Amino acid sequence: MKIEKLGKNHRKEVIGGLIVISIIGVLGFNLTKAKYQKIEDIELVKGEINYKLPDFKMMAMYKSDDGSYEEVNELPGKNYKINESKSYCTINNVDKDNKAKLYTDKYGQHVIGNISKNDKCYLYFDKNTEVVSTVLGNIEVNNYTPDFSETATTDEGIFKAEDNDGVSYYWRGAATTNYLKFGGYCWRIIRINGDGTIRLIYDGTTCHNNGEATTDSIAIENVAYNTKYDRSEYVGWTYTEGLQRPINNNEGTPSNAKIKLEEWYNNNLKNYEEKIADGKYCNDRNLKSGYLWSSAQNGVLHYAPLIRRDKNLPILTCSALDTYMLKIGLITSDEVMYAGGINSDNFLYYLYNGQNYWTMSPYYWAGNHSILFFVDIYGYLGNEFANVNWTGSSLRPVINLISNISIFGGKGTKDNPYIID
């Protein structure tokens, strides 16, 4: 929760940069009608001061799943939002404080703003989710944006984001409802794409728990993404010598990863091809603004996926120039971020498997090395030392199922996965 205060003349003074309060005991904010009197250090532009927040009482909190409210004594999570029309504060338990701001922001943070001394507040919370009809049936989707600067280590549920075909619904964190059996293998659902197809990442011959280190979820171990590394075009899924990208994606030399994955597909999934969509895969070779591409320049080129990773701003859209229509491919760095991985260890989200495996997102060109994103043995997204010819990383296949696929059963859990065949 955030607490804001407006000073004289309604000039906002941000207390502690909008102090984030954990209501459940951490800062001594008693929900059972006790006053909050915590002394906070307020970080200002020039130094720090001590400030005593206005005394106020949280008289009651209520939450609703279906329109009827019940009193609760713990702050509801981000999947609930403050009902602004019902929630209110009173001054000395008499007059309504019309200046008080009570709302939930787009990131799911509950905010109490412009509170006066001796305010007594009553908060009403509604579900911050929507039910969406999909090929998997009805799913509950969160209506807030996650904080992509943080690793997702718990089951945060399902979120939505725009892709080139509409709205994608993606699973985040230690997901427990994205297991699916298809083609004799277990898969984890990355997202339901905007065109209704289902994007999957390989989980092995059996389904694995979140946090489990296993080579079973790797299809091809210890393989270079590309056998050449000393030109910047070698980050390409396909490439043409001397060009930033091929003239079109049906031309060019295939990467080693593309060759190996398609061999695996032909040996393992070819018989199920009618159920596998020609999916859209992004090999984003756009550069950071201000950089000019060259094949073998001295110096550094930063690719757009690296900028998005560093700014915590993933996207699911992709330029037509870098979009491949494929039966099989790899995950992107943006999809890893949506799932809950960043440039920090994460042993708990569903993409962790204790192995190094490639994405198909370029990282940068450094001197005479083409570098690609990969997910490492700690669940970390990045590592500038992943030359494309490195054989210390592996391939974890990604496929897309057709939008009208039939689901024969299951609930999406590890012990009861969705069943396709």
Side-chain angles (χ1 to χ4, degrees):
M1 177 179 281
K2 299 178 181 177
I3 293 185
E4 301 174 339
K5 175 179 179 292
L6 292 188
K8 293 180 180 179
N9 300 320
H10 304 296
R11 178 176 59 85
K12 181 182 287 188
E13 299 171 14
V14 182
I15 300 178
L18 297 179
I19 297 170
V20 179
I21 294 181
S22 172
I23 284 194
I24 311 172
V26 176
L27 296 181
F29 185 54
N30 193 325
L31 297 177
T32 57
K33 303 182 175 63
K35 290 184 179 181
Y36 177 77
Q37 297 181 330
K38 179 72 176 178
I39 300 296
E40 290 294 331
D41 286 336
I42 311 304
E43 185 174 344
L44 300 179
V45 175
K46 298 180 180 179
E48 296 181 353
I49 62 172
N50 286 330
Y51 185 85
K52 185 176 181 180
L53 291 171
D55 294 343
F56 74 97
K57 295 180 180 179
M58 185 70 71
M59 298 303 293
M61 295 190 300
Y62 306 88
K63 75 174 184 179
S64 171
D65 291 333
D66 56 7
S68 60
Y69 291 90
E70 62 176 356
E71 188 169 2
V72 295
N73 58 10
E74 290 186 356
L75 179 70
K78 294 181 178 181
N79 57 334
Y80 287 85
K81 62 180 177 181
I82 294 174
N83 185 317
E84 296 180 41
S85 62
K86 290 185 67 69
S87 301
Y88 65 96
C89 296
T90 62
I91 301 174
N92 295 317
N93 210 27
V94 178
D95 298 319
K96 186 174 181 179
D97 186 352
N98 293 318
K99 295 179 181 178
K101 298 190 301 180
L102 309 170
Y103 66 96
T104 300
D105 68 19
K106 67 178 183 178
Y107 301 108
Q109 287 278 9
H110 306 315
V111 179
I112 297 179
N114 204 17
I115 299 299
S116 302
K117 187 179 178 71
N118 296 323
D119 266 1
K120 298 177 181 179
C121 298
Y122 301 79
L123 296 183
Y124 290 80
F125 294 86
D126 298 325
K127 286 297 288 289
N128 197 13
T129 62
E130 61 179 304
V131 176
V132 177
S133 177
T134 72
V135 64
L136 298 177
N138 290 336
I139 59 174
E140 189 172 278
V141 179
N142 293 311
N143 279 329
Y144 63 91
T145 301
D147 183 352
F148 296 114
S149 69
E150 300 289 337
T151 56
T153 58
T154 62
D155 186 359
E156 295 189 7
I158 304 172
F159 296 82
K160 59 184 177 182
E162 293 289 329
D163 66 17
N164 287 97
D165 295 307
V167 178
S168 267
Y169 302 104
Y170 65 91
W171 278 251
R172 179 170 170 83
T176 56
T177 60
N178 68 338
Y179 290 88
L180 185 147
K181 293 294 289 290
F182 171 71
Y185 299 107
C186 188
W187 305 79
R188 304 299 291 270
I189 302 170
I190 299 172
R191 56 185 169 116
I192 300 173
N193 302 307
D195 61 4
T197 58
I198 308 173
R199 196 169 183 88
L200 310 174
I201 190 166
Y202 184 72
D203 200 39
T205 56
T206 61
C207 296
H208 299 281
N209 289 313
N210 296 320
E212 181 179 348
T214 175
T215 58
D216 184 48
S217 58
I218 293 296
I220 308 169
E221 294 185 70
N222 302 322
V223 60
Y225 175 87
N226 238 327
T227 54
K228 299 178 180 180
Y229 69 93
D230 57 351
R231 289 185 179 273
S232 58
E233 55 263 38
Y234 297 147
V235 297
W237 191 247
T238 61
Y239 62 89
T240 298
E241 299 280 0
L243 296 178
Q244 184 174 355
R245 52 177 64 85
I247 295 174
N248 68 68
N249 290 336
N250 295 320
E251 298 182 0
T253 303
S255 64
N256 188 55
K258 184 177 189 295
I259 293 170
K260 297 297 184 183
L261 271 183
E262 289 176 354
E263 289 175 354
W264 185 88
Y265 175 89
N266 288 332
N267 291 332
N268 295 275
L269 294 176
K270 188 70 173 178
N271 291 338
Y272 303 92
E273 192 164 75
E274 72 280 359
K275 298 178 181 179
I276 300 173
D278 292 319
K280 295 180 179 179
Y281 294 82
C282 188
N283 180 217
D284 187 355
R285 285 160 288 191
N286 288 301
L287 296 174
K288 178 182 179 181
S289 177
Y291 284 86
L292 295 176
W293 185 88
S294 69
S295 178
Q297 72 166 23
N298 292 323
V300 173
L301 296 175
H302 286 191
Y303 287 99
L306 172 58
I307 307 309
R308 294 195 294 271
R309 199 282 311 267
D310 288 348
K311 291 184 176 181
N312 305 306
L313 294 173
I315 61 174
L316 292 178
T317 55
C318 187
S319 165
L321 295 172
D322 291 323
T323 299
Y324 287 84
M325 299 300 295
L326 305 168
K327 289 293 187 182
I328 191 167
L330 297 175
I331 198 168
T332 66
S333 58
D334 295 272
E335 288 172 327
V336 175
M337 291 177 64
Y338 278 111
I342 56 173
N343 55 335
S344 182
D345 297 349
N346 188 349
F347 299 92
L348 299 175
Y349 73 139
Y350 77 89
L351 290 179
Y352 169 82
N353 64 357
Q355 313 300 316
N356 298 317
Y357 58 93
W358 294 112
T359 75
M360 59 189 299
S361 299
Y363 193 106
Y364 64 55
W365 162 262
N368 63 345
H369 297 279
S370 285
I371 312 294
L372 200 76
F373 272 105
F374 76 106
V375 180
D376 79 358
I377 59 174
Y378 307 107
Y380 181 109
L381 173 65
N383 198 320
E384 64 269 28
F385 303 109
N387 288 343
V388 295
N389 70 327
W390 183 46
T391 57
S393 194
S394 301
L395 299 179
R396 191 175 185 185
V398 171
I399 61 172
N400 295 270
L401 300 181
I402 58 175
S403 60
N404 60 347
I405 197 80
S406 296
I407 307 296
F408 291 102
K411 299 293 185 181
T413 63
K414 174 181 172 290
D415 296 324
N416 190 17
Y418 294 114
I419 301 296
I420 300 298
D421 56 341

